[in-house]
Amino acid sequence: MTEDPNPDPGWYFNLRTHKVEHHDRARAADLLGPYPDEETARRALEIAAERTRRADAEDEKWDED
């Protein structure tokens, strides 16, 4: 098989293995990302939790209005 001439430049966090992946990746359902670099991908769970907190706060504010 030939190498992909346009590989995805993103980094991903695998939810099953808790490992960061680049280029050769697991199935999409097991991944968070893409992230711009390996370090950011390592923080994927932290980033997701923060986004959830922000969305929940926005929902609460919307419900109050």
Side-chain angles (χ1 to χ4, degrees):
M1 213 170 193
T2 61
E3 190 172 318
D4 186 347
N6 298 304
D8 183 340
W11 292 81
Y12 297 82
F13 181 82
N14 187 313
L15 293 165
R16 287 185 342 122
T17 65
H18 288 231
K19 293 182 180 179
V20 172
E21 300 179 359
H22 190 59
H23 296 301
D24 294 330
R25 297 187 309 275
R27 63 191 192 116
D30 293 332
L31 300 176
L32 293 178
Y35 295 96
D37 54 55
E38 184 176 7
E39 184 61 31
T40 305
R42 289 192 188 287
R43 296 182 41 245
L45 294 178
E46 178 185 331
I47 291 167
E50 177 57 34
R51 288 177 179 168
T52 299
R53 282 190 291 274
R54 270 189 267 146
D56 289 347
E58 289 175 12
D59 286 347
E60 285 182 28
K61 183 180 176 188
W62 189 80
D63 287 341
E64 292 172 359
D65 290 342

PDB file of all heavy atoms in Angstrom, residues 21-59:
ATOM      1  N   GLU A  21      -2.357   9.488  19.509  1.00  0.00           N
ATOM      2  CA  GLU A  21      -2.098   8.878  18.203  1.00  0.00           C
ATOM      3  C   GLU A  21      -1.924   9.955  17.144  1.00  0.00           C
ATOM      4  O   GLU A  21      -2.513  11.028  17.225  1.00  0.00           O
ATOM      5  CB  GLU A  21      -3.252   7.949  17.820  1.00  0.00           C
ATOM      6  CG  GLU A  21      -3.451   6.833  18.820  1.00  0.00           C
ATOM      7  CD  GLU A  21      -4.611   5.920  18.479  1.00  0.00           C
ATOM      8  OE1 GLU A  21      -5.307   6.148  17.466  1.00  0.00           O
ATOM      9  OE2 GLU A  21      -4.820   4.962  19.238  1.00  0.00           O
ATOM     10  N   HIS A  22      -1.108   9.622  16.160  1.00  0.00           N
ATOM     11  CA  HIS A  22      -0.811  10.529  15.049  1.00  0.00           C
ATOM     12  C   HIS A  22      -0.649   9.664  13.805  1.00  0.00           C
ATOM     13  O   HIS A  22      -0.058   8.593  13.870  1.00  0.00           O
ATOM     14  CB  HIS A  22       0.480  11.277  15.376  1.00  0.00           C
ATOM     15  CG  HIS A  22       0.806  12.395  14.457  1.00  0.00           C
ATOM     16  ND1 HIS A  22      -0.033  13.470  14.253  1.00  0.00           N
ATOM     17  CD2 HIS A  22       1.887  12.631  13.695  1.00  0.00           C
ATOM     18  CE1 HIS A  22       0.536  14.318  13.416  1.00  0.00           C
ATOM     19  NE2 HIS A  22       1.700  13.829  13.055  1.00  0.00           N
ATOM     20  N   HIS A  23      -1.140  10.092  12.691  1.00  0.00           N
ATOM     21  CA  HIS A  23      -1.103   9.349  11.419  1.00  0.00           C
ATOM     22  C   HIS A  23      -1.890   8.045  11.527  1.00  0.00           C
ATOM     23  O   HIS A  23      -3.056   8.034  11.191  1.00  0.00           O
ATOM     24  CB  HIS A  23       0.318   9.103  10.929  1.00  0.00           C
ATOM     25  CG  HIS A  23       1.056  10.354  10.592  1.00  0.00           C
ATOM     26  ND1 HIS A  23       0.620  11.247   9.642  1.00  0.00           N
ATOM     27  CD2 HIS A  23       2.181  10.893  11.116  1.00  0.00           C
ATOM     28  CE1 HIS A  23       1.449  12.268   9.574  1.00  0.00           C
ATOM     29  NE2 HIS A  23       2.406  12.078  10.469  1.00  0.00           N
ATOM     30  N   ASP A  24      -1.303   6.927  11.968  1.00  0.00           N
ATOM     31  CA  ASP A  24      -2.035   5.663  12.095  1.00  0.00           C
ATOM     32  C   ASP A  24      -2.922   5.753  13.323  1.00  0.00           C
ATOM     33  O   ASP A  24      -2.433   5.851  14.444  1.00  0.00           O
ATOM     34  CB  ASP A  24      -1.069   4.484  12.233  1.00  0.00           C
ATOM     35  CG  ASP A  24      -0.248   4.275  10.976  1.00  0.00           C
ATOM     36  OD1 ASP A  24      -0.748   4.594   9.877  1.00  0.00           O
ATOM     37  OD2 ASP A  24       0.896   3.805  11.096  1.00  0.00           O
ATOM     38  N   ARG A  25      -4.235   5.724  13.087  1.00  0.00           N
ATOM     39  CA  ARG A  25      -5.174   5.959  14.183  1.00  0.00           C
ATOM     40  C   ARG A  25      -6.190   4.837  14.290  1.00  0.00           C
ATOM     41  O   ARG A  25      -6.455   4.122  13.338  1.00  0.00           O
ATOM     42  CB  ARG A  25      -5.930   7.267  13.948  1.00  0.00           C
ATOM     43  CG  ARG A  25      -5.048   8.482  13.937  1.00  0.00           C
ATOM     44  CD  ARG A  25      -5.882   9.747  13.864  1.00  0.00           C
ATOM     45  NE  ARG A  25      -6.870   9.762  12.797  1.00  0.00           N
ATOM     46  CZ  ARG A  25      -6.619  10.135  11.556  1.00  0.00           C
ATOM     47  NH1 ARG A  25      -5.431  10.518  11.207  1.00  0.00           N
ATOM     48  NH2 ARG A  25      -7.579  10.148  10.659  1.00  0.00           N
ATOM     49  N   ALA A  26      -6.787   4.777  15.466  1.00  0.00           N
ATOM     50  CA  ALA A  26      -7.893   3.854  15.708  1.00  0.00           C
ATOM     51  C   ALA A  26      -9.148   4.382  15.025  1.00  0.00           C
ATOM     52  O   ALA A  26      -9.132   5.441  14.392  1.00  0.00           O
ATOM     53  CB  ALA A  26      -8.114   3.715  17.211  1.00  0.00           C
ATOM     54  N   ARG A  27     -10.238   3.676  15.222  1.00  0.00           N
ATOM     55  CA  ARG A  27     -11.498   4.116  14.607  1.00  0.00           C
ATOM     56  C   ARG A  27     -11.960   5.430  15.241  1.00  0.00           C
ATOM     57  O   ARG A  27     -11.700   5.706  16.414  1.00  0.00           O
ATOM     58  CB  ARG A  27     -12.562   3.039  14.713  1.00  0.00           C
ATOM     59  CG  ARG A  27     -12.944   2.695  16.117  1.00  0.00           C
ATOM     60  CD  ARG A  27     -13.807   1.434  16.179  1.00  0.00           C
ATOM     61  NE  ARG A  27     -14.347   1.374  17.525  1.00  0.00           N
ATOM     62  CZ  ARG A  27     -15.622   1.450  17.815  1.00  0.00           C
ATOM     63  NH1 ARG A  27     -16.516   1.549  16.851  1.00  0.00           N
ATOM     64  NH2 ARG A  27     -16.031   1.413  19.057  1.00  0.00           N
ATOM     65  N   ALA A  28     -12.639   6.223  14.474  1.00  0.00           N
ATOM     66  CA  ALA A  28     -13.025   7.573  14.883  1.00  0.00           C
ATOM     67  C   ALA A  28     -13.853   7.589  16.169  1.00  0.00           C
ATOM     68  O   ALA A  28     -13.731   8.514  16.970  1.00  0.00           O
ATOM     69  CB  ALA A  28     -13.788   8.266  13.752  1.00  0.00           C
ATOM     70  N   ALA A  29     -14.682   6.584  16.384  1.00  0.00           N
ATOM     71  CA  ALA A  29     -15.535   6.553  17.572  1.00  0.00           C
ATOM     72  C   ALA A  29     -14.726   6.493  18.866  1.00  0.00           C
ATOM     73  O   ALA A  29     -15.235   6.846  19.926  1.00  0.00           O
ATOM     74  CB  ALA A  29     -16.479   5.366  17.502  1.00  0.00           C
ATOM     75  N   ASP A  30     -13.474   6.076  18.786  1.00  0.00           N
ATOM     76  CA  ASP A  30     -12.623   5.961  19.973  1.00  0.00           C
ATOM     77  C   ASP A  30     -11.715   7.174  20.175  1.00  0.00           C
ATOM     78  O   ASP A  30     -10.903   7.179  21.103  1.00  0.00           O
ATOM     79  CB  ASP A  30     -11.738   4.715  19.877  1.00  0.00           C
ATOM     80  CG  ASP A  30     -12.543   3.427  19.935  1.00  0.00           C
ATOM     81  OD1 ASP A  30     -13.621   3.433  20.556  1.00  0.00           O
ATOM     82  OD2 ASP A  30     -12.091   2.425  19.359  1.00  0.00           O
ATOM     83  N   LEU A  31     -11.836   8.185  19.328  1.00  0.00           N
ATOM     84  CA  LEU A  31     -10.875   9.286  19.348  1.00  0.00           C
ATOM     85  C   LEU A  31     -11.491  10.625  19.720  1.00  0.00           C
ATOM     86  O   LEU A  31     -12.630  10.919  19.384  1.00  0.00           O
ATOM     87  CB  LEU A  31     -10.233   9.431  17.962  1.00  0.00           C
ATOM     88  CG  LEU A  31      -9.481   8.223  17.446  1.00  0.00           C
ATOM     89  CD1 LEU A  31      -9.001   8.500  16.021  1.00  0.00           C
ATOM     90  CD2 LEU A  31      -8.316   7.850  18.350  1.00  0.00           C
ATOM     91  N   LEU A  32     -10.695  11.441  20.404  1.00  0.00           N
ATOM     92  CA  LEU A  32     -10.976  12.860  20.590  1.00  0.00           C
ATOM     93  C   LEU A  32      -9.934  13.599  19.771  1.00  0.00           C
ATOM     94  O   LEU A  32      -8.758  13.271  19.790  1.00  0.00           O
ATOM     95  CB  LEU A  32     -10.844  13.264  22.056  1.00  0.00           C
ATOM     96  CG  LEU A  32     -11.850  12.700  23.034  1.00  0.00           C
ATOM     97  CD1 LEU A  32     -11.519  13.176  24.451  1.00  0.00           C
ATOM     98  CD2 LEU A  32     -13.258  13.120  22.668  1.00  0.00           C
ATOM     99  N   GLY A  33     -10.366  14.632  19.060  1.00  0.00           N
ATOM    100  CA  GLY A  33      -9.426  15.395  18.256  1.00  0.00           C
ATOM    101  C   GLY A  33     -10.046  15.734  16.912  1.00  0.00           C
ATOM    102  O   GLY A  33     -11.212  15.460  16.682  1.00  0.00           O
ATOM    103  N   PRO A  34      -9.288  16.335  16.063  1.00  0.00           N
ATOM    104  CA  PRO A  34      -7.839  16.485  16.123  1.00  0.00           C
ATOM    105  C   PRO A  34      -7.401  17.670  16.981  1.00  0.00           C
ATOM    106  O   PRO A  34      -8.134  18.638  17.161  1.00  0.00           O
ATOM    107  CB  PRO A  34      -7.445  16.723  14.668  1.00  0.00           C
ATOM    108  CG  PRO A  34      -8.616  17.437  14.087  1.00  0.00           C
ATOM    109  CD  PRO A  34      -9.834  16.846  14.790  1.00  0.00           C
ATOM    110  N   TYR A  35      -6.194  17.558  17.483  1.00  0.00           N
ATOM    111  CA  TYR A  35      -5.533  18.616  18.229  1.00  0.00           C
ATOM    112  C   TYR A  35      -4.290  19.022  17.444  1.00  0.00           C
ATOM    113  O   TYR A  35      -3.750  18.237  16.671  1.00  0.00           O
ATOM    114  CB  TYR A  35      -5.156  18.129  19.634  1.00  0.00           C
ATOM    115  CG  TYR A  35      -6.371  17.816  20.462  1.00  0.00           C
ATOM    116  CD1 TYR A  35      -6.860  16.521  20.556  1.00  0.00           C
ATOM    117  CD2 TYR A  35      -7.060  18.828  21.118  1.00  0.00           C
ATOM    118  CE1 TYR A  35      -7.994  16.231  21.300  1.00  0.00           C
ATOM    119  CE2 TYR A  35      -8.204  18.546  21.862  1.00  0.00           C
ATOM    120  CZ  TYR A  35      -8.658  17.257  21.947  1.00  0.00           C
ATOM    121  OH  TYR A  35      -9.786  16.985  22.669  1.00  0.00           O
ATOM    122  N   PRO A  36      -3.815  20.256  17.635  1.00  0.00           N
ATOM    123  CA  PRO A  36      -2.711  20.757  16.815  1.00  0.00           C
ATOM    124  C   PRO A  36      -1.351  20.139  17.126  1.00  0.00           C
ATOM    125  O   PRO A  36      -0.455  20.176  16.277  1.00  0.00           O
ATOM    126  CB  PRO A  36      -2.690  22.256  17.115  1.00  0.00           C
ATOM    127  CG  PRO A  36      -3.299  22.364  18.476  1.00  0.00           C
ATOM    128  CD  PRO A  36      -4.338  21.279  18.543  1.00  0.00           C
ATOM    129  N   ASP A  37      -1.197  19.581  18.334  1.00  0.00           N
ATOM    130  CA  ASP A  37       0.096  19.010  18.702  1.00  0.00           C
ATOM    131  C   ASP A  37      -0.092  17.912  19.743  1.00  0.00           C
ATOM    132  O   ASP A  37      -1.173  17.736  20.308  1.00  0.00           O
ATOM    133  CB  ASP A  37       1.051  20.093  19.217  1.00  0.00           C
ATOM    134  CG  ASP A  37       0.451  20.905  20.347  1.00  0.00           C
ATOM    135  OD1 ASP A  37       0.031  20.300  21.359  1.00  0.00           O
ATOM    136  OD2 ASP A  37       0.381  22.138  20.221  1.00  0.00           O
ATOM    137  N   GLU A  38       0.965  17.173  19.980  1.00  0.00           N
ATOM    138  CA  GLU A  38       0.912  16.033  20.891  1.00  0.00           C
ATOM    139  C   GLU A  38       0.564  16.447  22.324  1.00  0.00           C
ATOM    140  O   GLU A  38      -0.242  15.793  22.990  1.00  0.00           O
ATOM    141  CB  GLU A  38       2.249  15.304  20.869  1.00  0.00           C
ATOM    142  CG  GLU A  38       2.282  14.056  21.704  1.00  0.00           C
ATOM    143  CD  GLU A  38       3.581  13.299  21.594  1.00  0.00           C
ATOM    144  OE1 GLU A  38       4.538  13.804  20.960  1.00  0.00           O
ATOM    145  OE2 GLU A  38       3.647  12.199  22.162  1.00  0.00           O
ATOM    146  N   GLU A  39       1.156  17.523  22.801  1.00  0.00           N
ATOM    147  CA  GLU A  39       0.916  17.977  24.168  1.00  0.00           C
ATOM    148  C   GLU A  39      -0.554  18.328  24.391  1.00  0.00           C
ATOM    149  O   GLU A  39      -1.143  17.976  25.419  1.00  0.00           O
ATOM    150  CB  GLU A  39       1.800  19.181  24.498  1.00  0.00           C
ATOM    151  CG  GLU A  39       1.683  19.653  25.927  1.00  0.00           C
ATOM    152  CD  GLU A  39       2.078  18.609  26.959  1.00  0.00           C
ATOM    153  OE1 GLU A  39       2.953  17.778  26.673  1.00  0.00           O
ATOM    154  OE2 GLU A  39       1.486  18.620  28.061  1.00  0.00           O
ATOM    155  N   THR A  40      -1.156  19.003  23.448  1.00  0.00           N
ATOM    156  CA  THR A  40      -2.575  19.351  23.565  1.00  0.00           C
ATOM    157  C   THR A  40      -3.428  18.089  23.551  1.00  0.00           C
ATOM    158  O   THR A  40      -4.381  17.971  24.322  1.00  0.00           O
ATOM    159  CB  THR A  40      -2.991  20.309  22.439  1.00  0.00           C
ATOM    160  OG1 THR A  40      -2.120  21.443  22.452  1.00  0.00           O
ATOM    161  CG2 THR A  40      -4.426  20.780  22.600  1.00  0.00           C
ATOM    162  N   ALA A  41      -3.096  17.129  22.703  1.00  0.00           N
ATOM    163  CA  ALA A  41      -3.843  15.869  22.655  1.00  0.00           C
ATOM    164  C   ALA A  41      -3.756  15.132  23.989  1.00  0.00           C
ATOM    165  O   ALA A  41      -4.722  14.504  24.417  1.00  0.00           O
ATOM    166  CB  ALA A  41      -3.323  14.991  21.519  1.00  0.00           C
ATOM    167  N   ARG A  42      -2.627  15.226  24.669  1.00  0.00           N
ATOM    168  CA  ARG A  42      -2.480  14.582  25.985  1.00  0.00           C
ATOM    169  C   ARG A  42      -3.445  15.186  27.012  1.00  0.00           C
ATOM    170  O   ARG A  42      -3.808  14.535  27.975  1.00  0.00           O
ATOM    171  CB  ARG A  42      -1.060  14.706  26.490  1.00  0.00           C
ATOM    172  CG  ARG A  42      -0.083  13.859  25.727  1.00  0.00           C
ATOM    173  CD  ARG A  42       1.268  13.761  26.410  1.00  0.00           C
ATOM    174  NE  ARG A  42       2.206  13.095  25.543  1.00  0.00           N
ATOM    175  CZ  ARG A  42       2.210  11.799  25.256  1.00  0.00           C
ATOM    176  NH1 ARG A  42       1.294  11.021  25.791  1.00  0.00           N
ATOM    177  NH2 ARG A  42       3.102  11.282  24.440  1.00  0.00           N
ATOM    178  N   ARG A  43      -3.862  16.425  26.794  1.00  0.00           N
ATOM    179  CA  ARG A  43      -4.781  17.111  27.700  1.00  0.00           C
ATOM    180  C   ARG A  43      -6.242  16.990  27.247  1.00  0.00           C
ATOM    181  O   ARG A  43      -7.107  17.700  27.735  1.00  0.00           O
ATOM    182  CB  ARG A  43      -4.398  18.591  27.787  1.00  0.00           C
ATOM    183  CG  ARG A  43      -3.034  18.845  28.392  1.00  0.00           C
ATOM    184  CD  ARG A  43      -2.706  20.343  28.500  1.00  0.00           C
ATOM    185  NE  ARG A  43      -3.839  21.132  28.932  1.00  0.00           N
ATOM    186  CZ  ARG A  43      -4.457  22.057  28.183  1.00  0.00           C
ATOM    187  NH1 ARG A  43      -4.054  22.318  26.961  1.00  0.00           N
ATOM    188  NH2 ARG A  43      -5.481  22.744  28.654  1.00  0.00           N
ATOM    189  N   ALA A  44      -6.527  16.076  26.339  1.00  0.00           N
ATOM    190  CA  ALA A  44      -7.860  15.971  25.730  1.00  0.00           C
ATOM    191  C   ALA A  44      -8.979  15.820  26.750  1.00  0.00           C
ATOM    192  O   ALA A  44     -10.016  16.486  26.632  1.00  0.00           O
ATOM    193  CB  ALA A  44      -7.891  14.805  24.740  1.00  0.00           C
ATOM    194  N   LEU A  45      -8.806  14.990  27.747  1.00  0.00           N
ATOM    195  CA  LEU A  45      -9.877  14.796  28.736  1.00  0.00           C
ATOM    196  C   LEU A  45     -10.089  16.059  29.555  1.00  0.00           C
ATOM    197  O   LEU A  45     -11.231  16.428  29.855  1.00  0.00           O
ATOM    198  CB  LEU A  45      -9.564  13.605  29.635  1.00  0.00           C
ATOM    199  CG  LEU A  45      -9.551  12.251  28.941  1.00  0.00           C
ATOM    200  CD1 LEU A  45      -9.178  11.151  29.930  1.00  0.00           C
ATOM    201  CD2 LEU A  45     -10.891  11.957  28.291  1.00  0.00           C
ATOM    202  N   GLU A  46      -9.011  16.734  29.899  1.00  0.00           N
ATOM    203  CA  GLU A  46      -9.103  18.001  30.632  1.00  0.00           C
ATOM    204  C   GLU A  46      -9.814  19.061  29.788  1.00  0.00           C
ATOM    205  O   GLU A  46     -10.686  19.785  30.280  1.00  0.00           O
ATOM    206  CB  GLU A  46      -7.694  18.461  30.998  1.00  0.00           C
ATOM    207  CG  GLU A  46      -7.602  19.767  31.718  1.00  0.00           C
ATOM    208  CD  GLU A  46      -6.155  20.184  31.933  1.00  0.00           C
ATOM    209  OE1 GLU A  46      -5.268  19.325  32.034  1.00  0.00           O
ATOM    210  OE2 GLU A  46      -5.927  21.408  31.979  1.00  0.00           O
ATOM    211  N   ILE A  47      -9.465  19.136  28.524  1.00  0.00           N
ATOM    212  CA  ILE A  47     -10.079  20.101  27.606  1.00  0.00           C
ATOM    213  C   ILE A  47     -11.570  19.801  27.444  1.00  0.00           C
ATOM    214  O   ILE A  47     -12.408  20.709  27.490  1.00  0.00           O
ATOM    215  CB  ILE A  47      -9.356  20.087  26.241  1.00  0.00           C
ATOM    216  CG1 ILE A  47      -7.947  20.662  26.402  1.00  0.00           C
ATOM    217  CG2 ILE A  47     -10.148  20.841  25.177  1.00  0.00           C
ATOM    218  CD1 ILE A  47      -7.039  20.421  25.206  1.00  0.00           C
ATOM    219  N   ALA A  48     -11.909  18.527  27.289  1.00  0.00           N
ATOM    220  CA  ALA A  48     -13.320  18.153  27.141  1.00  0.00           C
ATOM    221  C   ALA A  48     -14.115  18.506  28.396  1.00  0.00           C
ATOM    222  O   ALA A  48     -15.243  19.004  28.299  1.00  0.00           O
ATOM    223  CB  ALA A  48     -13.434  16.660  26.833  1.00  0.00           C
ATOM    224  N   ALA A  49     -13.534  18.263  29.570  1.00  0.00           N
ATOM    225  CA  ALA A  49     -14.231  18.588  30.821  1.00  0.00           C
ATOM    226  C   ALA A  49     -14.459  20.088  30.945  1.00  0.00           C
ATOM    227  O   ALA A  49     -15.548  20.525  31.354  1.00  0.00           O
ATOM    228  CB  ALA A  49     -13.428  18.068  32.011  1.00  0.00           C
ATOM    229  N   GLU A  50     -13.473  20.880  30.565  1.00  0.00           N
ATOM    230  CA  GLU A  50     -13.622  22.342  30.632  1.00  0.00           C
ATOM    231  C   GLU A  50     -14.698  22.824  29.652  1.00  0.00           C
ATOM    232  O   GLU A  50     -15.508  23.681  29.987  1.00  0.00           O
ATOM    233  CB  GLU A  50     -12.287  23.032  30.345  1.00  0.00           C
ATOM    234  CG  GLU A  50     -12.371  24.553  30.331  1.00  0.00           C
ATOM    235  CD  GLU A  50     -12.925  25.153  31.621  1.00  0.00           C
ATOM    236  OE1 GLU A  50     -12.669  24.600  32.709  1.00  0.00           O
ATOM    237  OE2 GLU A  50     -13.634  26.170  31.535  1.00  0.00           O
ATOM    238  N   ARG A  51     -14.707  22.271  28.459  1.00  0.00           N
ATOM    239  CA  ARG A  51     -15.742  22.650  27.476  1.00  0.00           C
ATOM    240  C   ARG A  51     -17.130  22.284  27.986  1.00  0.00           C
ATOM    241  O   ARG A  51     -18.089  23.038  27.781  1.00  0.00           O
ATOM    242  CB  ARG A  51     -15.462  21.970  26.137  1.00  0.00           C
ATOM    243  CG  ARG A  51     -14.267  22.548  25.418  1.00  0.00           C
ATOM    244  CD  ARG A  51     -13.976  21.802  24.146  1.00  0.00           C
ATOM    245  NE  ARG A  51     -12.837  22.387  23.460  1.00  0.00           N
ATOM    246  CZ  ARG A  51     -12.208  21.814  22.445  1.00  0.00           C
ATOM    247  NH1 ARG A  51     -12.615  20.645  21.979  1.00  0.00           N
ATOM    248  NH2 ARG A  51     -11.170  22.400  21.883  1.00  0.00           N
ATOM    249  N   THR A  52     -17.252  21.156  28.644  1.00  0.00           N
ATOM    250  CA  THR A  52     -18.538  20.745  29.209  1.00  0.00           C
ATOM    251  C   THR A  52     -18.974  21.694  30.306  1.00  0.00           C
ATOM    252  O   THR A  52     -20.147  22.101  30.362  1.00  0.00           O
ATOM    253  CB  THR A  52     -18.451  19.302  29.739  1.00  0.00           C
ATOM    254  OG1 THR A  52     -18.138  18.431  28.645  1.00  0.00           O
ATOM    255  CG2 THR A  52     -19.761  18.864  30.379  1.00  0.00           C
ATOM    256  N   ARG A  53     -18.041  22.091  31.187  1.00  0.00           N
ATOM    257  CA  ARG A  53     -18.382  23.044  32.255  1.00  0.00           C
ATOM    258  C   ARG A  53     -18.864  24.365  31.664  1.00  0.00           C
ATOM    259  O   ARG A  53     -19.849  24.934  32.118  1.00  0.00           O
ATOM    260  CB  ARG A  53     -17.172  23.288  33.171  1.00  0.00           C
ATOM    261  CG  ARG A  53     -16.932  22.188  34.173  1.00  0.00           C
ATOM    262  CD  ARG A  53     -15.899  22.583  35.205  1.00  0.00           C
ATOM    263  NE  ARG A  53     -14.552  22.707  34.661  1.00  0.00           N
ATOM    264  CZ  ARG A  53     -13.701  21.699  34.524  1.00  0.00           C
ATOM    265  NH1 ARG A  53     -14.050  20.478  34.891  1.00  0.00           N
ATOM    266  NH2 ARG A  53     -12.500  21.907  34.029  1.00  0.00           N
ATOM    267  N   ARG A  54     -18.164  24.849  30.633  1.00  0.00           N
ATOM    268  CA  ARG A  54     -18.577  26.106  29.997  1.00  0.00           C
ATOM    269  C   ARG A  54     -19.948  25.989  29.362  1.00  0.00           C
ATOM    270  O   ARG A  54     -20.781  26.884  29.488  1.00  0.00           O
ATOM    271  CB  ARG A  54     -17.551  26.534  28.942  1.00  0.00           C
ATOM    272  CG  ARG A  54     -16.468  27.413  29.513  1.00  0.00           C
ATOM    273  CD  ARG A  54     -15.609  27.997  28.419  1.00  0.00           C
ATOM    274  NE  ARG A  54     -14.484  27.081  28.262  1.00  0.00           N
ATOM    275  CZ  ARG A  54     -13.866  26.791  27.138  1.00  0.00           C
ATOM    276  NH1 ARG A  54     -14.240  27.366  26.020  1.00  0.00           N
ATOM    277  NH2 ARG A  54     -12.873  25.960  27.100  1.00  0.00           N
ATOM    278  N   ALA A  55     -20.198  24.899  28.662  1.00  0.00           N
ATOM    279  CA  ALA A  55     -21.495  24.707  28.007  1.00  0.00           C
ATOM    280  C   ALA A  55     -22.609  24.607  29.041  1.00  0.00           C
ATOM    281  O   ALA A  55     -23.695  25.176  28.857  1.00  0.00           O
ATOM    282  CB  ALA A  55     -21.469  23.460  27.131  1.00  0.00           C
ATOM    283  N   ASP A  56     -22.342  23.901  30.144  1.00  0.00           N
ATOM    284  CA  ASP A  56     -23.343  23.794  31.209  1.00  0.00           C
ATOM    285  C   ASP A  56     -23.642  25.168  31.811  1.00  0.00           C
ATOM    286  O   ASP A  56     -24.803  25.496  32.084  1.00  0.00           O
ATOM    287  CB  ASP A  56     -22.882  22.834  32.303  1.00  0.00           C
ATOM    288  CG  ASP A  56     -22.903  21.379  31.860  1.00  0.00           C
ATOM    289  OD1 ASP A  56     -23.492  21.073  30.795  1.00  0.00           O
ATOM    290  OD2 ASP A  56     -22.320  20.539  32.586  1.00  0.00           O
ATOM    291  N   ALA A  57     -22.615  25.974  32.016  1.00  0.00           N
ATOM    292  CA  ALA A  57     -22.817  27.319  32.568  1.00  0.00           C
ATOM    293  C   ALA A  57     -23.628  28.182  31.601  1.00  0.00           C
ATOM    294  O   ALA A  57     -24.512  28.933  32.024  1.00  0.00           O
ATOM    295  CB  ALA A  57     -21.471  27.973  32.872  1.00  0.00           C
ATOM    296  N   GLU A  58     -23.352  28.073  30.305  1.00  0.00           N
ATOM    297  CA  GLU A  58     -24.113  28.830  29.307  1.00  0.00           C
ATOM    298  C   GLU A  58     -25.570  28.370  29.278  1.00  0.00           C
ATOM    299  O   GLU A  58     -26.476  29.190  29.149  1.00  0.00           O
ATOM    300  CB  GLU A  58     -23.476  28.682  27.934  1.00  0.00           C
ATOM    301  CG  GLU A  58     -22.155  29.411  27.808  1.00  0.00           C
ATOM    302  CD  GLU A  58     -21.462  29.154  26.480  1.00  0.00           C
ATOM    303  OE1 GLU A  58     -22.088  28.602  25.549  1.00  0.00           O
ATOM    304  OE2 GLU A  58     -20.266  29.499  26.384  1.00  0.00           O
ATOM    305  N   ASP A  59     -25.787  27.063  29.420  1.00  0.00           N
ATOM    306  CA  ASP A  59     -27.154  26.546  29.464  1.00  0.00           C
ATOM    307  C   ASP A  59     -27.904  27.093  30.673  1.00  0.00           C
ATOM    308  O   ASP A  59     -29.075  27.476  30.562  1.00  0.00           O
ATOM    309  CB  ASP A  59     -27.164  25.018  29.511  1.00  0.00           C
ATOM    310  CG  ASP A  59     -26.815  24.387  28.175  1.00  0.00           C
ATOM    311  OD1 ASP A  59     -26.794  25.102  27.152  1.00  0.00           O
ATOM    312  OD2 ASP A  59     -26.562  23.167  28.158  1.00  0.00           O
TER     313      ASP A  59
END
